[in-house]
Amino acid sequence: TNWDIVFNAFASAGLRLSEDHLVKLTGLLVRSTQKKAQMSDGVDANAAGTIGIHEEATAWYERQLASFQLSGDHFLGPLNVRWRAAAAESRRDAPYERAVAYDKTPNFPLIYSGRTLGNRTRFSYLNDQMFSAGLDADYTLALSDFRDAVFSVGMVYAKTDRDYAQRSFSFVETTTDPGLIPNSVRVNR
């Protein structure tokens, strides 16, 4: 089962300073929050003896993308100049992810499984920041009534930073001897 809350916004505005000068601003915001819960029953075909399994998982995710761009077009006779600057940030926060697996046995309906992948708690965070800027210019030189020479130049700058952290915790049985951890303890985990 997934519960989602989503919010999106987009805005754009332009300002024409004169017939030859235009400045534009564009913004975008995408935000979602998701609560996830899952239960499944089945068979682990990879396990010896093909045992039945029961898995439960829950998670919470927050995601956001914000982006802004400012640009301009300027026509100065034979010289055309176009520039742009953009900044964006994306985030993903998973403050709680939990998964638990149980084995189905004849003596105990659900007994805690010691498999690493089926028993974990995880916390993670991701933040990406981006900035870019660019400039393009071209100059048109009339060579005759039928022919022009166009000289173009451009440049771009981009910088991206990423911050990421993840912490994972698991309950793992470090022994294959079932007598070291009694079933009465494994049932109550």
Side-chain angles (χ1 to χ4, degrees):
T1 304
N2 292 335
W3 294 281
D4 296 309
I5 299 172
V6 178
F7 174 78
N8 299 320
F10 177 80
S12 181
L15 176 62
R16 185 170 294 278
L17 302 171
S18 71
E19 191 63 33
D20 296 329
H21 302 283
L22 174 65
V23 177
K24 296 180 280 188
L25 175 66
T26 303
L28 171 70
L29 177 66
V30 177
R31 177 155 176 83
S32 70
T33 302
Q34 182 181 57
K35 167 73 169 112
K36 189 176 205 175
Q38 177 180 333
M39 292 177 63
S40 61
D41 284 304
V43 175
D44 186 355
N46 295 323
T50 313
I51 59 170
I53 58 171
H54 173 82
E55 296 177 333
E56 299 175 4
T58 185
W60 179 273
Y61 302 103
E62 295 178 8
R63 298 175 186 96
Q64 178 173 306
L65 169 66
S67 174
F68 300 95
Q69 180 173 339
L70 183 64
S71 63
D73 295 325
H74 307 280
F75 304 101
L76 309 165
L79 178 64
N80 299 325
V81 178
R82 292 169 302 283
W83 57 270
R84 65 205 166 276
E89 180 179 51
S90 67
R91 295 181 183 183
R92 179 188 176 272
D93 189 13
Y96 189 76
E97 294 177 272
R98 176 83 170 119
V100 180
Y102 299 93
D103 294 333
K104 293 181 177 181
T105 65
N107 297 332
F108 296 97
L110 295 176
I111 190 165
Y112 178 80
S113 173
R115 291 188 301 275
T116 306
L117 295 177
N119 299 289
R120 71 182 186 287
T121 302
R122 184 170 49 204
F123 309 91
S124 64
Y125 177 79
L126 171 68
N127 187 20
D128 279 331
Q129 294 179 331
M130 185 277 303
F131 175 78
S132 68
L135 175 70
D136 297 310
D138 60 72
Y139 183 82
T140 303
L141 178 63
L143 299 176
S144 70
D145 290 339
F146 304 104
R147 190 176 303 177
D148 292 336
V150 178
F151 301 95
S152 300
V153 65
M155 62 178 240
V156 68
Y157 169 80
K159 182 177 193 285
T160 302
D161 291 318
R162 173 173 275 196
D163 182 25
Y164 176 71
Q166 177 178 308
R167 302 290 180 260
S168 295
F169 304 93
S170 296
F171 295 106
V172 180
E173 291 184 23
T174 58
T175 179
T176 56
D177 183 1
L180 292 178
I181 301 176
N183 284 339
S184 60
V185 173
R186 293 178 72 210
V187 168
N188 293 318
R189 281 187 151 180

